[in-house]
Amino acid sequence: DFCLSRGLGDVYKRQQQEFKDMNQFFQKFDVKNIFDARDATTIKDVTEAWNLFITCLKFRPKKAVEEHIDQLLIKFIKDHPGEFEKFLGIDQNIKSLNTLQSFKDYINRATHKISGGSEETISNVLLEKLGSDKSPLINAIGENPFDLITIVLKLSRETMTSGTGLIKKLILKGDPNEILDRIDSTKTAYREFTDWYRSDIFKQPLPHVIPRDVYELLPEQIEEILSSYLGVPKQNLNRYFEAHKMISKNDRIGDVILQDARTLRAINVDRDALARRWTAAIKIGLYIYYQSYGENPKLNYLKEEGISEFPDFDLSKSDSYPIIAVCCPTMGHHTDPFHPSFAMSSYYLKSDFVRGSSEVLIYNRNLATKQYTIEELRNFLSKRLNMKKKPDWEDDPGLVYCSDMGPYLCRVGCLFEGKTVRYRVDPEKLVRVLNFSE
C-alpha cells in the first residue's frame, strides 16, 4: 500500500508540473488577445498574427469574434505574402501545436472526470479551421498554394492527423497537374499520395504500383519499388503488409508477388484483363445481391458494366447461369495497402473500383463437384464470416472465395495475397473458374 500510494503521489506531482509547464508556455496565448482584437482594425506583425491564430484555436471564441479575427488575418496575409505561411511552417511552431494538444488532453481528462464531457483534439480543430471556406489562409492564398500544402503535410505528420480534405482544396486552388508534379519532383510526399489525388481529381483509375514485367524482377527489386512508392522502409514492408492482412508472418511480400506474377506469365494471362473479368463477375454479384431487396434502377450500372465480360447474363436465369458471383457485404471495409495516406478513403473513390467491403464466392457450375443454389452459396458466406479455419468447400475446384478488393490488388500490385491469409486467391484456379481466355 505504501509503494502504491507513493507511486500515485509521484504521478500526481508529474501531472501538476506538466500542467504548470504547459500553462507557462501558453500564457502569451491568453484570452485577452481575443478581447484586444475585437476592436482592432489591423495586425501589426507576424508574431501578433500567429498569437491570435493559436489563441483562437485554444479558446474557440464566439462566431462573430472569430470571423472578425479571420478578416484581420486575411488582410495581414494578403498584405504580407508568404510571411505568415513561413512562420506557420517553422518546426518549432509546428511542434508547439503538440504542446497545445497536451494542454487540451489535460483539460479533456479533467473535464471527462468531472462531467463526462467529450474530448476535442487541437489537430482536428486546426485542420478544420484551415480547411474552412472562411479560413484566412484559404481565402488569402494566391495562385500558388504549394507552400501551404507543404505546411499542411508537415502539420498532418506532426499531429498524426489527416489533412487530405484541406490539401485537395489547396490543389484545386491552382493548376492540379502542376502542383502534383511539383510535389513529386520535390519529394514533398510519396507517390502513393499524388497518384491518389490524380485519380480523385481527374477521374481516372489508380495506376500500376508494380510494373507489368514484374516477373522479370527479383524480390528485392519489387520491395524497393514498394518502399519508394509507399514511403515504408524496406525493413518494415513485411510487417506493413501483414498489418493490412495481405500476407502472414512467415511470408515475404516480394516473394508472394513474384511467384504469382510468374504463374500468370507461365499460363500467358495478362493481369489487367484478368482483373477486368474478375471485377465484372463481382459487379454482377453485387447487382444480384442488391436487387434481391427490391428493384433499384440506380444500380443498373453494375449489371451494364458486368455484362461487358458476360454478355449473355440474364438475371431471371441467374440460378442456372454457368458462372456467378455471390456477394455478402460486411461491416466496415478493408483498407487500401497501396495508398496508406488514404487507406480508409479509397473505398469511396468514384474513379476506381477499389471496394473492400464484401465477401465474395465465385461459382463455376461446370467445374464444381456439386450443384448449388444462390441461397446455398449465400449461406456459405454468412457462416464463413465467423469461421477462423478454412472450410472444406473452399477446396472445391468450382468455387473461389475472395474479397471484392481482389481485382484491384491484382491489377495495381499483382497481389493475390499470402498463401495462408483469409482472402488468398490461387491465380490459376481463378482463371479456370472465371473461364478466362484472352
Side-chain angles (χ1 to χ4, degrees), residues 387-409:
M387 293 173 69
K388 293 183 179 179
K389 289 185 178 180
K390 176 180 170 182
D392 292 340
W393 54 257
E394 282 192 41
D395 293 324
D396 190 308
L399 291 175
V400 168
Y401 171 70
C402 60
S403 158
D404 62 349
M405 187 180 266
Y408 164 75
L409 298 174

Side-chain angles (χ1 to χ4, degrees), residues 361-406:
L361 194 52
I362 303 174
Y363 170 48
N364 185 315
R365 193 178 303 279
N366 297 326
L367 296 179
T369 57
K370 182 184 173 184
Q371 299 299 295
Y372 301 104
T373 65
I374 287 180
E375 194 58 40
E376 285 176 310
L377 296 172
R378 281 181 181 156
N379 288 335
F380 281 164
L381 282 182
S382 296
K383 291 175 182 177
R384 184 67 176 92
L385 279 171
N386 299 313
M387 293 173 69
K388 293 183 179 179
K389 289 185 178 180
K390 176 180 170 182
D392 292 340
W393 54 257
E394 282 192 41
D395 293 324
D396 190 308
L399 291 175
V400 168
Y401 171 70
C402 60
S403 158
D404 62 349
M405 187 180 266

Side-chain angles (χ1 to χ4, degrees), residues 187-346:
K187 299 189 185 315
T188 303
Y190 293 101
R191 191 60 187 256
E192 60 90 16
F193 179 90
T194 50
D195 277 352
W196 195 94
Y197 276 116
R198 285 187 180 94
S199 177
D200 186 34
I201 291 170
F202 299 114
K203 308 305 176 192
Q204 60 193 27
L206 288 160
H208 284 185
V209 176
I210 299 297
R212 291 177 183 274
D213 61 353
V214 59
Y215 49 82
E216 295 180 348
L217 303 179
L218 297 171
E220 294 81 6
Q221 293 172 306
I222 294 171
E223 288 161 1
E224 184 61 46
I225 291 169
L226 289 170
S227 178
S228 61
Y229 187 86
L230 301 171
V232 177
K234 279 180 72 173
Q235 65 271 22
N236 296 338
L237 271 176
N238 291 330
R239 277 183 292 171
Y240 171 82
F241 279 96
E242 183 189 347
H244 278 272
K245 299 184 178 177
M246 297 288 142
I247 60 174
S248 64
K249 189 175 182 179
N250 298 321
D251 288 327
R252 178 181 176 182
I253 187 63
D255 285 335
V256 169
I257 290 175
L258 182 59
Q259 287 170 16
D260 288 330
R262 287 178 174 171
T263 295
L264 291 180
R265 175 69 171 172
I267 59 177
N268 197 29
V269 169
D270 175 70
R271 77 180 202 241
D272 281 13
L274 177 60
R276 275 196 301 273
R277 188 163 176 84
W278 192 357
T279 299
I282 290 174
K283 285 183 176 179
I284 288 177
L286 287 169
Y287 176 76
I288 293 170
Y289 173 82
Y290 289 119
Q291 291 299 93
S292 68
Y293 289 92
E295 287 290 325
N296 186 348
K298 291 181 179 179
L299 297 172
N300 282 343
Y301 77 94
L302 287 171
K303 181 178 71 172
E304 289 162 7
E305 292 172 8
I307 61 176
S308 62
E309 289 285 333
F310 301 93
D312 56 346
F313 172 76
D314 184 344
L315 180 62
S316 65
K317 300 176 182 176
S318 57
D319 248 332
S320 59
Y321 194 72
I323 301 170
I324 204 74
V326 175
C327 300
C328 178
T330 59
M331 295 294 288
H333 53 267
H334 315 306
T335 54
D336 175 3
F338 291 116
H339 300 89
S341 296
F342 312 90
M344 299 298 289
S345 305
S346 293

